[in-house]
Amino acid sequence: MINTLSFQIHGGGDHGGGPAESLGDLLAVFDNISILGSGELFSTLMPGIASMENIHPLVVHFPIALLSVFFVLDLVGTLAKKQQWREVASSFLYLGTLAALFTVIAGHIAADTVAHGANVHAIMEKHEDLGMAILSLATALSAWRLKHKGLFQGYVNGVFLALSALLCVLIVLAADLGGLMVYQYGVAVKAVPVTESAHDHQHADVNQQAELPIVAPQASEHTHEHKHAQPDAHAGHDHSH
């Protein structure tokens, strides 16, 4: 039942029909939802989040997006002399700083709960240090902007933009180390067993096509021997005459 419900929600390539069938499927989904408990319902609706060991991979995208948009808007607003753009950029800075706080907290919790080896531990510590640096710098920029109750001009604004650019560089470095731990060392990644699928069939077809040239030379050798055998038979016939 859970698999059927998940299929209905997330869709399927071969599932189709008219409006009556779609309405019936929708009613079946609501019927199954009423039967499931709260835990089963959440794991069915959000199977990816339910399988996570911690929420750090979920919340880490928010400070990356918010602080990056802040820098772009503030820089473009400065160059184009758009005061309103820079005011909007301030809002992204404050939200990004708040998101960075929750991300750092979730990251420290994840570091204490996720299994990892000594080689990953050194990378994880650098990742944590960069996260703290991002939070500290974002907090300082937010406090600086709030204290002056407005936007900077001239040389001071140049220093502010330079620090904002440094903030984006730190974000890129931290994201790179996070990707290294996940995609290179498989931290917090559960192994997925390989099953027979259409993708496997495609590979099998390619392998079979690749083996065809190996069979072809055997057939050619057989033909070549047959051609040599025919002159020998004629030679015997001529000798008898």
Side-chain angles (χ1 to χ4, degrees):
M1 180 182 64
I2 295 178
N3 293 334
T4 302
L5 177 59
S6 179
F7 177 80
Q8 296 290 342
I9 294 174
H10 295 280
D14 298 331
H15 186 72
E21 183 179 353
S22 300
L23 179 59
D25 294 338
L26 181 62
L27 293 176
V29 169
F30 286 119
D31 182 60
N32 290 331
I33 287 177
S34 63
I35 299 175
L36 294 176
S38 58
E40 293 179 339
L41 177 60
F42 179 78
S43 61
T44 301
L45 296 176
M46 299 290 181
I49 298 177
S51 63
M52 288 183 176
E53 296 185 6
N54 57 83
I55 63 171
H56 179 69
L58 180 64
V59 300
V60 72
H61 300 88
F62 291 96
I64 294 176
L66 293 171
L67 294 176
S68 299
V69 172
F70 146 70
F71 173 69
V72 172
L73 282 179
D74 205 38
L75 178 62
V76 175
T78 299
L79 298 176
K81 298 181 180 180
K82 299 290 185 179
Q83 192 79 0
Q84 294 181 346
W85 290 19
R86 299 190 63 196
E87 291 175 355
V88 174
S90 299
S91 301
F92 279 97
L93 172 61
Y94 305 146
L95 291 175
T97 302
L98 185 61
L101 174 61
F102 287 107
T103 301
V104 168
I105 294 174
H108 281 286
I109 296 175
D112 295 334
T113 57
V114 173
H116 58 276
N119 54 345
V120 177
H121 186 72
I123 301 175
M124 189 174 293
E125 286 186 343
K126 293 180 181 178
H127 183 70
E128 291 179 350
D129 293 341
L130 287 173
M132 289 300 302
I134 292 170
L135 177 60
S136 301
L137 184 54
T139 302
L141 293 175
S142 298
W144 192 8
R145 201 128 173 175
L146 287 170
K147 181 180 179 180
H148 288 78
K149 298 180 181 180
L151 304 176
F152 306 110
Q153 302 295 335
Y155 172 76
V156 178
N157 187 59
V159 175
F160 187 87
L161 287 176
L163 293 176
S164 302
L166 176 61
L167 177 64
C168 291
V169 172
L170 294 176
I171 291 174
V172 172
L173 295 176
D176 178 72
L177 291 181
L180 178 65
M181 287 187 291
V182 173
Y183 297 108
Q184 180 68 29
Y185 296 99
V187 175
V189 175
K190 298 178 181 178
V192 179
V194 179
T195 58
E196 188 73 14
S197 63
H199 184 68
D200 296 330
H201 284 300
Q202 292 176 0
H203 282 290
D205 294 339
V206 173
N207 292 334
Q208 290 177 359
Q209 293 177 2
E211 293 176 356
L212 288 179
I214 301 177
V215 180
Q218 296 178 359
S220 62
E221 291 176 1
H222 178 72
T223 306
H224 183 69
E225 293 175 356
H226 181 68
K227 289 182 179 179
H228 279 288
Q230 289 180 353
D232 293 339
H234 287 294
H237 179 72
D238 295 337
H239 180 72
S240 60
H241 286 289

